[in-house]
Amino acid sequence: MHVFVTGGTGHSGPYIISELIAAGHEVSALARSDAAAAAVSALGAKVRRGDLEDLDGLKAAAADSDGVIHVAHRQDLIPSGGINAVAAAELQIMLAYGEALAGTGKPLVSSGSIGSPGWGNLGRPATEEDPPLPGGDEYKGTLRVRNIVETTVIGLAEQGVRSSIVRIPTIMHSTTDNAGFLPLLIGLAKEKGVVGYPGDGENRWSSVHVRDVASLFRLALEKGAAGRNWHAVGDEGIPFREIAEAIGNRLNLPAVPIPADVLMLPGYFGFLANLVTLDVPASNVITRQTLGWEPTQPGLFADFDNGHYFPGS
């Protein structure tokens, strides 16, 4: 299968490209710069020069392929428009893919988020069958504003696209994780001199190793049904306090509760204040049973031993 991949130089992209090539697929990867082109070429992918702003170019690349994996985002929009602008741009990209792939039955697998759907107080881990809650203007500035992107991708199934979403946990860890939530939390701890957790820290985050994410994208591309959500969940739900304590143990810093109010949380966590209170445990049972996916890589705390997050510890 000839697969068009975006985000090939991000955190998950190189692993996805390598996973696809190892499975015998031919990969073309979007590259905006010479450096990006060299990076994806070194992985064994063909280079498709272009960028996410060129919707016609994305449509042409999708039409030329047997399937699309999209894990790129317009990060350049964050300084001026934040997550609202990123989501709005991504929506237009998904609609462009829909135009190119409508009626073909070709797969489109896009990244989603365990954190964005807006579930609360489910009383159980979220499953692949739980739809994201409606977004809208009142949720601007939060992850939930992106729900329109995920529902649009799922809706393309009605137009003859084998579209699906791979929901990725709050923490996707690996030896190449340089910009995820975990490095941000570690950086905050070093800056503040303590490792904070919100309130009692009982809210749960799920996590996954990026290599397991890559294998799930491949499986969803190869045999995932249209209109489905898949959960790339390794650790189902870890209390935030335990994450903070594990970071504290590595940095020799105390883990302390931060009162969950409108002053104290931003005072410590800054722009992460709305995220750290999320309670988003999630199940992977349907994904495993349907696609035969099995996480095989180290869990979050085991991956703390890789030397990347805590060099010299």
Side-chain angles (χ1 to χ4, degrees), residues 65-205:
S65 73
D66 298 314
V68 175
I69 290 180
H70 180 90
V71 291
H73 305 286
R74 288 285 308 277
Q75 302 292 343
D76 58 299
L77 296 175
I78 290 179
S80 60
I83 192 172
N84 306 328
V86 174
E90 194 174 8
L91 175 61
Q92 296 307 310
I93 292 169
M94 297 306 150
L95 293 174
Y97 287 144
E99 289 183 35
L101 300 176
T104 65
K106 293 179 181 179
L108 165 64
V109 187
S110 183
S111 59
S113 171
I114 294 293
S116 67
W119 307 305
N121 303 313
L122 282 177
R124 57 169 174 77
T127 78
E128 297 86 339
E129 294 180 346
D130 287 314
L133 300 180
D137 289 346
E138 62 185 298
Y139 297 103
K140 284 186 174 180
T142 73
L143 283 176
R144 190 162 160 180
V145 76
R146 191 179 173 275
N147 285 358
I148 183 63
V149 177
E150 297 187 24
T151 55
T152 296
V153 171
I154 296 302
L156 291 176
E158 299 178 2
Q159 300 179 30
V161 182
R162 187 158 61 83
S163 57
S164 63
I165 290 286
V166 172
R167 290 172 173 164
I168 298 173
T170 325
I171 295 178
M172 179 169 60
H173 53 92
S174 77
T175 56
T176 57
D177 176 18
N178 296 314
F181 287 134
L182 191 53
L184 290 173
L185 293 173
I186 293 169
L188 269 177
K190 291 178 178 178
E191 174 190 339
K192 304 287 187 178
V194 296
V195 191
Y197 56 85
D200 61 10
E202 289 300 311
N203 61 302
R204 294 153 295 177
W205 276 18

